[in-house]
Amino acid sequence: MTARKTQPKPADLVRGEAELLAAGFELQHQGLELLLAEMRALAAMMPGEDSRLPTDAEVEAGFDNMPI
């Protein structure tokens, strides 16, 4: 007498895929949380921006009066 292999139910397959996706999202979330913490730590160590440099708006305003 041989044992028959039963086919997995579609719901079980979908549930397994959903669990894999959830695990992947959780790992991505953990990695992004670590990256955010590193960025905040680096930002705290960086000096303030130089106010002598023109802002993006000031640079763009200089292009508005260019001849065509």
Side-chain angles (χ1 to χ4, degrees), residues 16-67:
E17 289 291 324
E19 290 172 359
L20 286 174
L21 284 171
F25 288 145
E26 180 61 30
L27 289 173
Q28 287 180 354
H29 179 72
Q30 289 174 2
L32 291 173
E33 286 289 326
L34 178 61
L35 179 60
L36 180 60
E38 290 174 350
M39 290 175 61
R40 287 181 175 158
L42 286 172
M45 295 173 53
M46 295 173 65
E49 69 179 56
D50 190 358
S51 62
R52 292 176 289 158
L53 297 174
T55 64
D56 290 340
E58 293 170 337
V59 170
E60 291 293 327
F63 292 125
D64 290 340
N65 60 4
M66 293 180 69

Side-chain angles (χ1 to χ4, degrees), residues 6-18:
T6 60
Q7 294 290 331
K9 294 179 182 177
D12 293 335
L13 294 174
V14 172
R15 189 174 295 111
E17 289 291 324

